[in-house]
Structures are given as C-alpha cells and as structure tokens.
Amino acid sequence: MTSTKTYGLVLTAFGAAIIAVLAQITIPLPLVPITGQTLAIGLIVTILGLKYGTLSVLVYCLLGAIGLPVFTGMSGGLSILVGPTGGYIIGFIPTALFMGWYLNKFGYTYIHGLIANVSGMMITLAFGTIWLKFVADMSLQAAFMAGAAPFILLEMMKGVIAAWVGILVRHRLLNANLLKLV
C-alpha cells in the first residue's frame, strides 16, 4: 500500500471518528433529537473536501449500520437506519456529495462554504422528513412539522458555524502543510 493510500485512509478514519464523537452531543426531543451530527458532516466535508469528506460519511454510516455505537446516544444497527431518524442518517451521504461537489466546483471560500453547508443541512432535513413520513405513517405536512420545521433555524446556524470553522481550519491546515488532499 502506498503512503498516499494510507494517508487517505487515515483522513477518512479521522473524519468518521469526528462525526461519531460529535453525534454524541444531543438534546432529546420527542420524535427527532437535536444532534451534533449535521455540524460534524459540514465540518468534515468542508475541511476534507469531496473525496475524503464523503468517504468519511460513508464509513460513519457503515460503522453504525453494522452495529457499532457511533450514532446518537451511542446507538447503532440497522434498526436505527430503518427507524424514524434513519432518513437523516441516510441523507448525510447525498449531503456530503453535494457539499463536496459544490465546494470543489466553486471554491473553498467562506461564502461558498456557507452556501454548501446551509444547502447541505436542508438536504439532510428533506431526506429525514420524507423518511419520517413513510416510517411513522404521517402526512407530509405532519412529518415536516415534526421532523424539519423545528430544526430549520438551528440547522442554518450549524451551517454558518461549519462553514466558518471548516474553511478556517482547512486553510490553516493546508498553509501549514498538515493537510495534503490528493
């Protein structure tokens, strides 16, 4: 294995670990809790970019799917993915793909980081709402009111934080030659 592949694996594992740690920051609500997962997704993709950011999200989701306790509340397993909050977790993958694509295409600036992160947060909410509608047998309006409406402002704030911190950290790591994206 080349050092480039090893480096990529380390970046991916590091990203997945950060997501797992921030997922444990949670404020419980009746149906869908507020968690640090979306903030972590935004940070990791903004810092690591399309390839390693998306791979980190995929690894995180797979680790949780096989039962490792990486999801909120130290939970894991397929039962979480097919439960009411599974759509949010599954939505992390298209969120990461979109954010990484957008940042690669338009540049890693604060404004583009903000657009990518806020859009990404809305993609996650959309996936979660649609999933909640079917799993909880709710109308789309009821699913939106329970699974998206209470979180829109908070997710936008997380997007602002992830963009600001992510762009700052990315630029500092690149300038210090501590991050090499190949």
Side-chain angles (χ1 to χ4, degrees), residues 9-165:
L9 289 172
V10 169
L11 283 180
T12 300
F14 177 74
I18 294 296
I19 298 167
V21 168
L22 288 179
Q24 303 319 311
I25 298 171
T26 182
I27 300 169
L29 293 177
L31 206 53
V32 179
I34 297 171
T35 73
Q37 286 170 306
T38 52
L39 175 64
I41 302 295
L43 284 171
I44 293 305
V45 175
T46 303
I47 294 168
L48 299 181
L50 174 62
K51 181 178 179 180
Y52 296 118
T54 302
L55 284 173
S56 295
V57 172
L58 279 168
V59 167
Y60 168 75
C61 291
L62 289 172
L63 290 173
I66 64 169
L68 293 178
V70 296
F71 296 149
T72 299
M74 298 296 287
S75 62
L78 288 176
S79 63
I80 301 297
L81 292 179
V82 298
T85 61
Y88 300 94
I89 296 168
I90 292 165
F92 294 157
I93 298 166
T95 294
L97 284 166
F98 170 79
M99 288 176 56
W101 167 83
Y102 182 91
L103 289 167
N104 277 0
K105 182 163 179 71
F106 296 103
Y108 287 82
T109 65
Y110 176 71
I111 293 300
H112 290 303
L114 185 63
I115 293 167
N117 274 279
V118 170
S119 298
M121 301 294 172
M122 296 308 117
I123 290 169
T124 299
L125 286 177
F127 269 80
T129 299
I130 292 166
W131 189 270
L132 184 61
K133 174 199 180 324
F134 290 106
V135 170
D137 194 27
M138 304 170 87
S139 70
L140 186 56
Q141 181 180 2
F144 175 79
M145 294 309 291
F151 305 102
I152 291 173
L153 184 59
L154 181 63
E155 293 303 314
M156 290 175 70
M157 290 181 349
K158 287 183 197 177
V160 169
I161 293 166
W164 180 65
V165 172

